[in-house]
Amino acid sequence: MTDERRPLVESRSGAVMDCISALQIYLMSRMRNKEGVAGGLRRLGVDEAAFDAAKEMLARARLDHEDPDMADECSADLYRRFLGAPQRVEPAPEDHAPNAMKMFYSLPVWPDLELELRMSNEHTLCGIRFVRAGEPKARRLRLEEVIPWRVVEDDIPCNCSEAVVVDGFGTWTDYCCTLLEPGSPEYLWAFDYGLLQKVIPWKDLNIDKKEAAYPSLESVLGLEEPETPR
């Protein structure tokens, strides 16, 4: 149900939705967890026909971060105008790291999570992902708790003895993960926006892990210290 306190936006096609719903639909249109997306759309009272309208609304607000022509324009001010004040803000660290300010929004489709918008020193978007709301930010999970849309990328280090990045582009990253339990088989964990979308036993895939491997887990998660420009 639409929250009447939220501003409504109308697309050129005549679709009307609030801005938070438009963002949620836009994000879901780019997620690979089809079952979760179908449930999220039902919760919002729409279907896949709303994808185009949501994308149009984000584009009109200059917030379609997947569009190369807008990627450098998605600013903190534009997000505030479109979504309202964030749930919370983490200011830029004193050392002025490349990823400076972080803004967090609560989205009803994912009530236990927050959407983190990382802004550069120029206050334009340089990262977007889901994180856990509250503490701890990473949790030790039992195997039966490894469920799409219930695991975030931050959970990987405390749940896997090995995690190799095997594919990724833009807002999605795929890992070959070996859990901490002795004798655990390998799994493909597929993430979009830092949120788990698929879990597939690696043995069911025809992929060579070593040939597919990307850079280290630490570099992908942004845990390594950035190189100093020469």
Side-chain angles (χ1 to χ4, degrees):
M1 182 179 296
T2 299
D3 187 337
E4 294 180 355
R5 294 170 296 178
R6 298 178 188 152
L8 298 179
V9 179
E10 182 175 359
S11 71
R12 292 187 179 91
S13 63
V16 178
M17 64 183 75
D18 66 84
C19 296
I20 290 288
S21 292
L23 176 62
Q24 292 179 111
I25 294 168
Y26 174 87
L27 295 174
M28 285 190 284
S29 72
R30 285 152 175 77
M31 290 184 177
R32 291 173 285 173
N33 176 12
K34 299 304 181 184
E35 183 177 346
V37 168
L41 293 175
R42 284 195 300 270
R43 176 170 181 168
L44 297 177
V46 298
D47 57 26
E48 291 186 2
F51 286 164
D52 289 343
K55 178 179 175 63
E56 179 196 321
M57 293 176 188
L58 270 291
R60 286 169 61 188
R62 307 301 295 173
L63 292 175
D64 184 356
H65 58 262
E66 299 283 0
D67 186 331
D69 294 333
M70 295 185 199
D72 295 333
E73 299 180 23
C74 300
S75 69
D77 286 343
L78 288 178
Y79 274 105
R80 286 193 177 98
R81 291 176 197 168
F82 189 73
L83 300 174
Q87 190 83 9
R88 60 190 181 90
V89 174
E90 287 184 9
E94 294 181 1
D95 61 0
H96 300 292
N99 295 342
M101 179 182 67
K102 295 180 181 178
M103 300 164 53
F104 298 86
Y105 285 90
S106 297
L107 304 180
V109 170
W110 301 278
D112 298 326
L113 306 173
E114 292 177 321
L115 186 67
E116 175 191 284
L117 305 176
R118 297 197 310 276
M119 299 293 167
S120 69
N121 287 327
E122 290 75 31
H123 282 199
T124 56
L125 186 71
C126 61
I128 177 170
R129 65 172 188 155
F130 284 91
V131 298
R132 294 193 181 279
E135 298 293 340
K137 291 302 181 186
R139 297 179 185 173
R140 182 76 169 86
L141 303 168
R142 298 187 300 274
L143 181 58
E144 58 268 25
E145 294 176 310
V146 181
I147 301 170
W149 282 16
R150 295 292 183 268
V151 178
V152 294
E153 234 169 329
D154 284 345
D155 293 326
I156 292 177
C158 61
N159 286 281
C160 300
S161 60
E162 182 182 34
V164 178
V165 179
V166 293
D167 205 354
F169 181 79
T171 56
W172 57 267
T173 309
D174 294 346
Y175 298 85
C176 177
C177 293
T178 303
L179 304 184
L180 293 175
E181 287 75 9
S184 169
E186 296 175 324
Y187 291 90
L188 173 73
W189 284 11
F191 289 84
D192 297 335
Y193 296 105
L195 183 63
L196 185 66
Q197 305 292 318
K198 293 182 178 182
V199 180
I200 304 173
W202 191 264
K203 63 180 178 60
D204 294 345
L205 303 171
N206 186 24
I207 301 176
D208 186 314
K209 180 178 67 174
K210 292 183 179 179
E211 291 183 1
Y214 268 47
S216 68
L217 170 65
E218 289 77 10
S219 66
V220 171
L221 294 181
L223 302 177
E224 290 184 341
E225 293 293 328
E227 294 183 5
T228 302
R230 296 180 181 178

mmCIF file with all atom_site columns, all heavy atoms in Angstrom, residues 1-18:
data_model
loop_
_atom_site.group_PDB
_atom_site.id
_atom_site.type_symbol
_atom_site.label_atom_id
_atom_site.label_alt_id
_atom_site.label_comp_id
_atom_site.label_asym_id
_atom_site.label_entity_id
_atom_site.label_seq_id
_atom_site.pdbx_PDB_ins_code
_atom_site.Cartn_x
_atom_site.Cartn_y
_atom_site.Cartn_z
_atom_site.occupancy
_atom_site.B_iso_or_equiv
_atom_site.pdbx_formal_charge
_atom_site.auth_seq_id
_atom_site.auth_comp_id
_atom_site.auth_asym_id
_atom_site.auth_atom_id
_atom_site.pdbx_PDB_model_num
ATOM 1   N N   . MET A 1 1  ? 0.841  -1.198 0.000   1.00 0.00 ? 1  MET A N   1
ATOM 2   C CA  . MET A 1 1  ? 0.000  0.000  0.000   1.00 0.00 ? 1  MET A CA  1
ATOM 3   C C   . MET A 1 1  ? 0.876  1.248  0.000   1.00 0.00 ? 1  MET A C   1
ATOM 4   O O   . MET A 1 1  ? 1.855  1.320  0.725   1.00 0.00 ? 1  MET A O   1
ATOM 5   C CB  . MET A 1 1  ? -0.914 0.012  1.232   1.00 0.00 ? 1  MET A CB  1
ATOM 6   C CG  . MET A 1 1  ? -1.862 1.220  1.281   1.00 0.00 ? 1  MET A CG  1
ATOM 7   S SD  . MET A 1 1  ? -2.948 1.157  2.739   1.00 0.00 ? 1  MET A SD  1
ATOM 8   C CE  . MET A 1 1  ? -3.880 -0.318 2.374   1.00 0.00 ? 1  MET A CE  1
ATOM 9   N N   . THR A 1 2  ? 0.544  2.217  -0.797  1.00 0.00 ? 2  THR A N   1
ATOM 10  C CA  . THR A 1 2  ? 1.319  3.439  -0.877  1.00 0.00 ? 2  THR A CA  1
ATOM 11  C C   . THR A 1 2  ? 1.172  4.265  0.384   1.00 0.00 ? 2  THR A C   1
ATOM 12  O O   . THR A 1 2  ? 0.082  4.469  0.901   1.00 0.00 ? 2  THR A O   1
ATOM 13  C CB  . THR A 1 2  ? 0.848  4.285  -2.087  1.00 0.00 ? 2  THR A CB  1
ATOM 14  O OG1 . THR A 1 2  ? 1.050  3.522  -3.274  1.00 0.00 ? 2  THR A OG1 1
ATOM 15  C CG2 . THR A 1 2  ? 1.622  5.565  -2.169  1.00 0.00 ? 2  THR A CG2 1
ATOM 16  N N   . ASP A 1 3  ? 2.289  4.750  0.915   1.00 0.00 ? 3  ASP A N   1
ATOM 17  C CA  . ASP A 1 3  ? 2.276  5.625  2.073   1.00 0.00 ? 3  ASP A CA  1
ATOM 18  C C   . ASP A 1 3  ? 1.909  7.019  1.608   1.00 0.00 ? 3  ASP A C   1
ATOM 19  O O   . ASP A 1 3  ? 2.639  7.648  0.843   1.00 0.00 ? 3  ASP A O   1
ATOM 20  C CB  . ASP A 1 3  ? 3.665  5.616  2.725   1.00 0.00 ? 3  ASP A CB  1
ATOM 21  C CG  . ASP A 1 3  ? 3.695  6.365  4.054   1.00 0.00 ? 3  ASP A CG  1
ATOM 22  O OD1 . ASP A 1 3  ? 2.823  7.232  4.250   1.00 0.00 ? 3  ASP A OD1 1
ATOM 23  O OD2 . ASP A 1 3  ? 4.589  6.080  4.868   1.00 0.00 ? 3  ASP A OD2 1
ATOM 24  N N   . GLU A 1 4  ? 0.787  7.546  2.074   1.00 0.00 ? 4  GLU A N   1
ATOM 25  C CA  . GLU A 1 4  ? 0.290  8.838  1.591   1.00 0.00 ? 4  GLU A CA  1
ATOM 26  C C   . GLU A 1 4  ? 1.206  9.986  1.980   1.00 0.00 ? 4  GLU A C   1
ATOM 27  O O   . GLU A 1 4  ? 1.113  11.077 1.439   1.00 0.00 ? 4  GLU A O   1
ATOM 28  C CB  . GLU A 1 4  ? -1.123 9.072  2.124   1.00 0.00 ? 4  GLU A CB  1
ATOM 29  C CG  . GLU A 1 4  ? -2.144 8.075  1.568   1.00 0.00 ? 4  GLU A CG  1
ATOM 30  C CD  . GLU A 1 4  ? -3.532 8.319  2.112   1.00 0.00 ? 4  GLU A CD  1
ATOM 31  O OE1 . GLU A 1 4  ? -3.661 9.207  2.986   1.00 0.00 ? 4  GLU A OE1 1
ATOM 32  O OE2 . GLU A 1 4  ? -4.468 7.646  1.668   1.00 0.00 ? 4  GLU A OE2 1
ATOM 33  N N   . ARG A 1 5  ? 2.104  9.749  2.945   1.00 0.00 ? 5  ARG A N   1
ATOM 34  C CA  . ARG A 1 5  ? 3.012  10.818 3.350   1.00 0.00 ? 5  ARG A CA  1
ATOM 35  C C   . ARG A 1 5  ? 4.146  10.990 2.352   1.00 0.00 ? 5  ARG A C   1
ATOM 36  O O   . ARG A 1 5  ? 4.827  11.999 2.373   1.00 0.00 ? 5  ARG A O   1
ATOM 37  C CB  . ARG A 1 5  ? 3.599  10.502 4.725   1.00 0.00 ? 5  ARG A CB  1
ATOM 38  C CG  . ARG A 1 5  ? 2.550  10.505 5.855   1.00 0.00 ? 5  ARG A CG  1
ATOM 39  C CD  . ARG A 1 5  ? 3.155  9.959  7.134   1.00 0.00 ? 5  ARG A CD  1
ATOM 40  N NE  . ARG A 1 5  ? 3.524  8.551  6.965   1.00 0.00 ? 5  ARG A NE  1
ATOM 41  C CZ  . ARG A 1 5  ? 4.115  7.838  7.920   1.00 0.00 ? 5  ARG A CZ  1
ATOM 42  N NH1 . ARG A 1 5  ? 4.420  8.386  9.074   1.00 0.00 ? 5  ARG A NH1 1
ATOM 43  N NH2 . ARG A 1 5  ? 4.409  6.553  7.702   1.00 0.00 ? 5  ARG A NH2 1
ATOM 44  N N   . ARG A 1 6  ? 4.349  10.023 1.482   1.00 0.00 ? 6  ARG A N   1
ATOM 45  C CA  . ARG A 1 6  ? 5.422  10.117 0.515   1.00 0.00 ? 6  ARG A CA  1
ATOM 46  C C   . ARG A 1 6  ? 4.935  10.859 -0.723  1.00 0.00 ? 6  ARG A C   1
ATOM 47  O O   . ARG A 1 6  ? 3.808  10.678 -1.163  1.00 0.00 ? 6  ARG A O   1
ATOM 48  C CB  . ARG A 1 6  ? 5.911  8.718  0.107   1.00 0.00 ? 6  ARG A CB  1
ATOM 49  C CG  . ARG A 1 6  ? 6.496  7.905  1.247   1.00 0.00 ? 6  ARG A CG  1
ATOM 50  C CD  . ARG A 1 6  ? 6.901  6.542  0.739   1.00 0.00 ? 6  ARG A CD  1
ATOM 51  N NE  . ARG A 1 6  ? 7.288  5.658  1.835   1.00 0.00 ? 6  ARG A NE  1
ATOM 52  C CZ  . ARG A 1 6  ? 7.180  4.348  1.803   1.00 0.00 ? 6  ARG A CZ  1
ATOM 53  N NH1 . ARG A 1 6  ? 6.667  3.756  0.737   1.00 0.00 ? 6  ARG A NH1 1
ATOM 54  N NH2 . ARG A 1 6  ? 7.571  3.609  2.824   1.00 0.00 ? 6  ARG A NH2 1
ATOM 55  N N   . PRO A 1 7  ? 5.811  11.662 -1.326  1.00 0.00 ? 7  PRO A N   1
ATOM 56  C CA  . PRO A 1 7  ? 5.412  12.361 -2.558  1.00 0.00 ? 7  PRO A CA  1
ATOM 57  C C   . PRO A 1 7  ? 5.166  11.378 -3.683  1.00 0.00 ? 7  PRO A C   1
ATOM 58  O O   . PRO A 1 7  ? 5.872  10.386 -3.838  1.00 0.00 ? 7  PRO A O   1
ATOM 59  C CB  . PRO A 1 7  ? 6.615  13.262 -2.848  1.00 0.00 ? 7  PRO A CB  1
ATOM 60  C CG  . PRO A 1 7  ? 7.763  12.609 -2.150  1.00 0.00 ? 7  PRO A CG  1
ATOM 61  C CD  . PRO A 1 7  ? 7.179  11.977 -0.922  1.00 0.00 ? 7  PRO A CD  1
ATOM 62  N N   . LEU A 1 8  ? 4.128  11.634 -4.476  1.00 0.00 ? 8  LEU A N   1
ATOM 63  C CA  . LEU A 1 8  ? 3.795  10.769 -5.600  1.00 0.00 ? 8  LEU A CA  1
ATOM 64  C C   . LEU A 1 8  ? 4.384  11.343 -6.879  1.00 0.00 ? 8  LEU A C   1
ATOM 65  O O   . LEU A 1 8  ? 4.478  12.564 -7.054  1.00 0.00 ? 8  LEU A O   1
ATOM 66  C CB  . LEU A 1 8  ? 2.277  10.643 -5.736  1.00 0.00 ? 8  LEU A CB  1
ATOM 67  C CG  . LEU A 1 8  ? 1.547  10.024 -4.548  1.00 0.00 ? 8  LEU A CG  1
ATOM 68  C CD1 . LEU A 1 8  ? 0.045  10.003 -4.822  1.00 0.00 ? 8  LEU A CD1 1
ATOM 69  C CD2 . LEU A 1 8  ? 2.043  8.624  -4.263  1.00 0.00 ? 8  LEU A CD2 1
ATOM 70  N N   . VAL A 1 9  ? 4.788  10.445 -7.772  1.00 0.00 ? 9  VAL A N   1
ATOM 71  C CA  . VAL A 1 9  ? 5.344  10.840 -9.058  1.00 0.00 ? 9  VAL A CA  1
ATOM 72  C C   . VAL A 1 9  ? 4.554  10.135 -10.136 1.00 0.00 ? 9  VAL A C   1
ATOM 73  O O   . VAL A 1 9  ? 4.208  8.960  -10.004 1.00 0.00 ? 9  VAL A O   1
ATOM 74  C CB  . VAL A 1 9  ? 6.843  10.453 -9.156  1.00 0.00 ? 9  VAL A CB  1
ATOM 75  C CG1 . VAL A 1 9  ? 7.404  10.840 -10.514 1.00 0.00 ? 9  VAL A CG1 1
ATOM 76  C CG2 . VAL A 1 9  ? 7.638  11.127 -8.043  1.00 0.00 ? 9  VAL A CG2 1
ATOM 77  N N   . GLU A 1 10 ? 4.264  10.834 -11.217 1.00 0.00 ? 10 GLU A N   1
ATOM 78  C CA  . GLU A 1 10 ? 3.539  10.237 -12.341 1.00 0.00 ? 10 GLU A CA  1
ATOM 79  C C   . GLU A 1 10 ? 4.466  10.125 -13.528 1.00 0.00 ? 10 GLU A C   1
ATOM 80  O O   . GLU A 1 10 ? 5.151  11.079 -13.895 1.00 0.00 ? 10 GLU A O   1
ATOM 81  C CB  . GLU A 1 10 ? 2.327  11.086 -12.717 1.00 0.00 ? 10 GLU A CB  1
ATOM 82  C CG  . GLU A 1 10 ? 1.511  10.481 -13.861 1.00 0.00 ? 10 GLU A CG  1
ATOM 83  C CD  . GLU A 1 10 ? 0.253  11.268 -14.148 1.00 0.00 ? 10 GLU A CD  1
ATOM 84  O OE1 . GLU A 1 10 ? 0.000  12.268 -13.460 1.00 0.00 ? 10 GLU A OE1 1
ATOM 85  O OE2 . GLU A 1 10 ? -0.478 10.879 -15.077 1.00 0.00 ? 10 GLU A OE2 1
ATOM 86  N N   . SER A 1 11 ? 4.478  8.946  -14.139 1.00 0.00 ? 11 SER A N   1
ATOM 87  C CA  . SER A 1 11 ? 5.299  8.745  -15.333 1.00 0.00 ? 11 SER A CA  1
ATOM 88  C C   . SER A 1 11 ? 4.541  9.247  -16.552 1.00 0.00 ? 11 SER A C   1
ATOM 89  O O   . SER A 1 11 ? 3.338  9.529  -16.502 1.00 0.00 ? 11 SER A O   1
ATOM 90  C CB  . SER A 1 11 ? 5.639  7.264  -15.505 1.00 0.00 ? 11 SER A CB  1
ATOM 91  O OG  . SER A 1 11 ? 4.488  6.538  -15.893 1.00 0.00 ? 11 SER A OG  1
ATOM 92  N N   . ARG A 1 12 ? 5.238  9.318  -17.673 1.00 0.00 ? 12 ARG A N   1
ATOM 93  C CA  . ARG A 1 12 ? 4.593  9.756  -18.908 1.00 0.00 ? 12 ARG A CA  1
ATOM 94  C C   . ARG A 1 12 ? 3.516  8.775  -19.354 1.00 0.00 ? 12 ARG A C   1
ATOM 95  O O   . ARG A 1 12 ? 2.590  9.136  -20.074 1.00 0.00 ? 12 ARG A O   1
ATOM 96  C CB  . ARG A 1 12 ? 5.641  9.935  -20.011 1.00 0.00 ? 12 ARG A CB  1
ATOM 97  C CG  . ARG A 1 12 ? 6.593  11.103 -19.761 1.00 0.00 ? 12 ARG A CG  1
ATOM 98  C CD  . ARG A 1 12 ? 7.503  11.336 -20.964 1.00 0.00 ? 12 ARG A CD  1
ATOM 99  N NE  . ARG A 1 12 ? 8.394  12.469 -20.740 1.00 0.00 ? 12 ARG A NE  1
ATOM 100 C CZ  . ARG A 1 12 ? 9.592  12.380 -20.207 1.00 0.00 ? 12 ARG A CZ  1
ATOM 101 N NH1 . ARG A 1 12 ? 10.040 11.189 -19.836 1.00 0.00 ? 12 ARG A NH1 1
ATOM 102 N NH2 . ARG A 1 12 ? 10.347 13.434 -20.039 1.00 0.00 ? 12 ARG A NH2 1
ATOM 103 N N   . SER A 1 13 ? 3.653  7.515  -18.920 1.00 0.00 ? 13 SER A N   1
ATOM 104 C CA  . SER A 1 13 ? 2.655  6.507  -19.294 1.00 0.00 ? 13 SER A CA  1
ATOM 105 C C   . SER A 1 13 ? 1.414  6.584  -18.412 1.00 0.00 ? 13 SER A C   1
ATOM 106 O O   . SER A 1 13 ? 0.449  5.853  -18.634 1.00 0.00 ? 13 SER A O   1
ATOM 107 C CB  . SER A 1 13 ? 3.269  5.107  -19.186 1.00 0.00 ? 13 SER A CB  1
ATOM 108 O OG  . SER A 1 13 ? 3.648  4.830  -17.845 1.00 0.00 ? 13 SER A OG  1
ATOM 109 N N   . GLY A 1 14 ? 1.451  7.465  -17.390 1.00 0.00 ? 14 GLY A N   1
ATOM 110 C CA  . GLY A 1 14 ? 0.303  7.622  -16.511 1.00 0.00 ? 14 GLY A CA  1
ATOM 111 C C   . GLY A 1 14 ? 0.400  6.842  -15.214 1.00 0.00 ? 14 GLY A C   1
ATOM 112 O O   . GLY A 1 14 ? -0.470 6.964  -14.348 1.00 0.00 ? 14 GLY A O   1
ATOM 113 N N   . ALA A 1 15 ? 1.454  6.025  -15.041 1.00 0.00 ? 15 ALA A N   1
ATOM 114 C CA  . ALA A 1 15 ? 1.626  5.276  -13.794 1.00 0.00 ? 15 ALA A CA  1
ATOM 115 C C   . ALA A 1 15 ? 1.972  6.241  -12.668 1.00 0.00 ? 15 ALA A C   1
ATOM 116 O O   . ALA A 1 15 ? 2.749  7.176  -12.846 1.00 0.00 ? 15 ALA A O   1
ATOM 117 C CB  . ALA A 1 15 ? 2.728  4.234  -13.957 1.00 0.00 ? 15 ALA A CB  1
ATOM 118 N N   . VAL A 1 16 ? 1.373  6.019  -11.507 1.00 0.00 ? 16 VAL A N   1
ATOM 119 C CA  . VAL A 1 16 ? 1.617  6.871  -10.342 1.00 0.00 ? 16 VAL A CA  1
ATOM 120 C C   . VAL A 1 16 ? 2.132  6.003  -9.213  1.00 0.00 ? 16 VAL A C   1
ATOM 121 O O   . VAL A 1 16 ? 1.539  4.977  -8.879  1.00 0.00 ? 16 VAL A O   1
ATOM 122 C CB  . VAL A 1 16 ? 0.330  7.600  -9.903  1.00 0.00 ? 16 VAL A CB  1
ATOM 123 C CG1 . VAL A 1 16 ? 0.594  8.433  -8.658  1.00 0.00 ? 16 VAL A CG1 1
ATOM 124 C CG2 . VAL A 1 16 ? -0.193 8.483  -11.027 1.00 0.00 ? 16 VAL A CG2 1
ATOM 125 N N   . MET A 1 17 ? 3.258  6.390  -8.622  1.00 0.00 ? 17 MET A N   1
ATOM 126 C CA  . MET A 1 17 ? 3.798  5.672  -7.468  1.00 0.00 ? 17 MET A CA  1
ATOM 127 C C   . MET A 1 17 ? 4.633  6.644  -6.658  1.00 0.00 ? 17 MET A C   1
ATOM 128 O O   . MET A 1 17 ? 5.058  7.688  -7.161  1.00 0.00 ? 17 MET A O   1
ATOM 129 C CB  . MET A 1 17 ? 4.623  4.469  -7.907  1.00 0.00 ? 17 MET A CB  1
ATOM 130 C CG  . MET A 1 17 ? 5.867  4.792  -8.708  1.00 0.00 ? 17 MET A CG  1
ATOM 131 S SD  . MET A 1 17 ? 6.768  3.321  -9.291  1.00 0.00 ? 17 MET A SD  1
ATOM 132 C CE  . MET A 1 17 ? 5.708  2.775  -10.627 1.00 0.00 ? 17 MET A CE  1
ATOM 133 N N   . ASP A 1 18 ? 4.846  6.300  -5.384  1.00 0.00 ? 18 ASP A N   1
ATOM 134 C CA  . ASP A 1 18 ? 5.698  7.162  -4.574  1.00 0.00 ? 18 ASP A CA  1
ATOM 135 C C   . ASP A 1 18 ? 7.151  6.883  -4.919  1.00 0.00 ? 18 ASP A C   1
ATOM 136 O O   . ASP A 1 18 ? 7.498  5.871  -5.524  1.00 0.00 ? 18 ASP A O   1
ATOM 137 C CB  . ASP A 1 18 ? 5.420  6.956  -3.083  1.00 0.00 ? 18 ASP A CB  1
ATOM 138 C CG  . ASP A 1 18 ? 5.807  5.577  -2.605  1.00 0.00 ? 18 ASP A CG  1
ATOM 139 O OD1 . ASP A 1 18 ? 6.988  5.374  -2.293  1.00 0.00 ? 18 ASP A OD1 1
ATOM 140 O OD2 . ASP A 1 18 ? 4.919  4.692  -2.550  1.00 0.00 ? 18 ASP A OD2 1
#
